[in-house]
Amino acid sequence: MTHPPDAPRMAVLISGRGSNMVSLLRAAAQPGFPGRFVLALSNRPEAAGLAHAQEAGLAAEAVDHRVYADRAAFDAALDARLRAHAIDLVVLAGFMRVLTPGFVEAWSGRMLNIHPSLLPLFRGTHTHAQALAAGVRLHGCTVHFVVPELDAGPIVAQAAVPVRPDDDAETLAARVLAEEHRLYPAALALVASGRARLEDGRVVFAPEAGCAAGALHSLPV
Ligand code: GAR
């Protein structure tokens, strides 16, 4: 693996199957990717994704949320593991725990999430069912910087898919997931390279990244 010498050290946080994590690790293994994954963390020791991370040569660790008295104690343990690995950038990929404001503020501008909807529409869970119930004709996914408010935060990139008349939540989810796997590595590359960064609560793009960001917004479906 060859990465720029100053490539940020990245951690991916998961809770389950980890398909986004796999696509991120694959992209980041390409020569020249502007960040280096060194750690996979799960709040569930049984998460299938941890084995994939280990195979890929990362440190794979579980911080089981069930053994901590409250959210603050769990987040403190998470923070300690991230700092032990000298992490620069935290990448939430299907990490299904609400994080405390203190933790989020500590990693402000250095923590990304992917959400399976075109935010600010359809926060929370069951986003595909929500989209079908609302009758939208376009649905998709969003990569955003994490802020204390749940499923909110300055948007780095989005990808849209059409909603088909015969879609159910499952078929729609599959179409969105394919876009997630394309969008997240591209958005992460923008942030890891510093071409997209958080400034005064907004995402600022480097001039040459404007085109890249625009291309992400209009990915073919
Ligand atoms: C993905 O669809 C991701 O967008 C979603 O969980 C799934 C995880 O799948 N995340 C959220 O809903 C966060 N609010 P994966 O484990 O296969 O990557």
Side-chain angles (χ1 to χ4, degrees), residues 23-51:
S23 85
L24 287 164
L25 296 185
R26 191 173 297 140
Q30 297 305 308
F33 192 88
R36 192 153 65 94
F37 279 108
V38 294
L39 173 67
L41 269 180
S42 173
N43 63 303
R44 294 185 174 279
E46 68 278 12
L50 281 180

Side-chain angles (χ1 to χ4, degrees), residues 124-174:
T125 55
H126 307 294
T127 56
H128 312 299
Q130 290 190 55
L132 290 172
V136 293
R137 307 272 35 104
L138 284 174
H139 184 41
C141 49
T142 302
V143 175
H144 63 94
F145 282 103
V146 178
V147 296
E149 193 182 344
L150 193 61
D151 297 334
I155 292 171
V156 178
Q158 293 181 302
V161 305
V163 179
R164 297 188 179 140
D166 57 348
D167 265 331
D168 57 26
E170 209 169 304
T171 58
L172 190 51

